[in-house]
Amino acid sequence: MKTTASAPGKIILFGEHAVVYGEPAIAAPVHQVTATAVVEDADHAGILLRAPDLSRDIWLADAPADHPLAAAVHTFLRAARTPDSQLPSPSLTITITSTIPIASGLGSGAAITAALIRALAVHLDRPELATDAAVSRLTFEVERIHHGTPSGIDNTVVSYRRLVYFIRAGAPIKARTEQVLALFTPGRPLHLLIGDTGLHAPTRIPVGDVRRLWEADPGRMAPLFAACGEIAAAARTALEAGALEEVGRLMNANHACLQEMTVSSPELDRLVAAARSAGALGSKLSGGGRGGNMIALVRRDTAAAVSAALREAGAARVLETVVGDGD
Ligand code: PMV
């Protein structure tokens, strides 16, 4: 028997960084890039993990505990253990492939984990672990192993595969006991370009820097987080109303806020400015910042000009996606 599951890439539309401190954020799936997991029954004993893109095969039994694929499988098997069933030790081959660029804020790690967990849950007939909520919760556990203190927005959007409005639980400022999650559809489809600076940008560096700035000067940083939160809340209303010009203005305002938080970079600013000059309704960095990706909201008839302007301004790659068009 063979089971396949996949998970999309993602972008953060509004509220990155501030979401860590208890403010709302909005993220969207990017279905043009995906991670896929194939789980197959095997004749051999144990679990073989295959990642042909990386030409790397490893037996689960030999993998270090922090190996990303092994961590996902162990997290699933722990959750699948019930009081009257021992830890299952099935004979499987698991193959992972992904078209999501790595380390660029497109959620590649979370998507690989979510695809793997969903495929295992379906294959091993554990439907209660294959729900979007369960896949998201288990993916979050794995994200915590690799990223320390993620807000939880990445695992949420790649597991639910919809536009999400998200507020985390247990934030250092606006601590709440329950997270807020609203899945919603924009009033009009959003045509977005995703421009990659080509700079490798591990999220934990800007996240750590923002934390140090906040600890050193909360009076300066807390109002910036709150301003981003207000922008994200207003953006949800504008998105639901299909008020695209307002969404664009709010993207520009969010980028200014992120610049003040010190997480932009000259390369991101150059792409953001180029998109606006070429007719984008709005543009901002997306994700951790200092590199990685920016996004631009365009109209169908300006997409080609904005895309060309992004490449001319140094984008290593430009992806095009439409949010809310059938998802
Ligand atoms: O770099 P990304 O796209 O994984 O985004 C991280 C988003 C942050 O808000 C900066 C961190 C987080 O955990 O939410």
Side-chain angles (χ1 to χ4, degrees):
M1 205 175 71
K2 182 166 156 174
T3 308
T4 302
S6 56
K10 73 102 217 316
I11 44 169
I12 296 189
L13 288 177
F14 290 97
E16 50 276 269
H17 288 288
V19 68
V20 174
Y21 298 86
E23 298 295 341
I26 298 175
V30 178
H31 295 291
Q32 283 69 15
V33 286
T34 49
T36 303
V38 179
V39 177
E40 289 168 274
D41 293 324
D43 295 335
H44 54 65
I47 296 181
L48 178 63
L49 297 165
R50 307 194 57 222
D53 298 348
L54 307 171
S55 19
R56 217 176 280 163
D57 289 2
I58 190 163
W59 290 96
L60 182 67
D62 298 336
D66 63 351
H67 182 285
L69 301 181
V73 176
H74 284 306
T75 299
F76 173 81
L77 293 177
R78 256 195 313 276
R81 191 194 304 156
T82 59
D84 39 51
S85 84
Q86 285 303 303
L87 187 65
S89 50
S91 295
L92 301 171
T93 298
I94 303 176
T95 307
I96 299 289
T97 51
S98 174
T99 58
I100 308 173
I102 54 169
S104 63
L106 285 169
S108 128
I112 287 171
T113 302
L116 182 43
I117 285 171
R118 198 184 295 272
L120 276 170
V122 173
H123 193 84
L124 298 174
D125 198 20
R126 299 298 297 268
E128 79 286 8
L129 296 177
T131 64
D132 293 343
V135 171
S136 180
R137 179 172 56 78
L138 295 177
T139 302
F140 181 60
E141 282 183 31
V142 178
E143 289 280 285
R144 275 184 16 194
I145 299 171
H146 305 305
H147 302 300
T149 55
S151 66
I153 194 166
D154 280 18
N155 52 282
T156 301
V157 66
V158 302
S159 301
Y160 285 86
R161 301 166 284 184
R162 295 266 313 272
L163 190 58
V164 299
Y165 176 88
F166 174 87
I167 307 177
R168 71 173 285 194
I173 300 184
K174 295 191 172 166
R176 54 168 75 231
T177 46
E178 295 283 327
Q179 74 173 30
V180 173
L181 170 61
L183 306 173
F184 70 107
T185 309
R188 281 162 65 195
L190 292 181
H191 205 126
L192 292 163
L193 299 180
I194 306 168
D196 187 351
T197 58
L199 295 177
H200 180 85
T203 303
R204 67 188 146 68
I205 294 175
V207 168
D209 289 349
V210 169
R211 176 167 286 264
R212 274 183 289 280
L213 287 171
W214 170 62
E215 283 168 353
D217 193 353
R220 174 175 155 232
M221 297 301 276
L224 287 176
F225 301 148
C228 287
E230 277 169 32
I231 290 167
R236 180 177 170 187
T237 307
L239 284 165
E240 284 177 326
L244 297 184
E245 293 198 348
E246 177 64 4
V247 174
R249 267 194 297 278
L250 289 164
M251 286 170 72
N252 294 346
N254 198 163
H255 185 71
C257 219
L258 290 162
Q259 283 176 314
E260 279 195 61
M261 268 184 223
T262 76
V263 296
S264 194
S265 70
E267 296 80 6
L268 282 165
D269 288 344
R270 192 175 323 126
L271 297 186
V272 162
R276 290 181 201 164
S277 310
L281 295 170
S283 56
K284 63 181 278 291
L285 72 84
S286 175
R290 301 267 171 82
N293 285 288
M294 52 71 68
I295 53 175
L297 179 63
V298 296
R299 294 191 196 279
R300 215 167 280 276
D301 58 344
T302 54
V306 177
S307 182
L310 286 172
R311 285 176 200 281
E312 206 156 300
R317 179 188 48 233
V318 180
L319 285 175
E320 208 170 326
T321 191
V322 181
V323 178
D325 200 10
D327 58 37

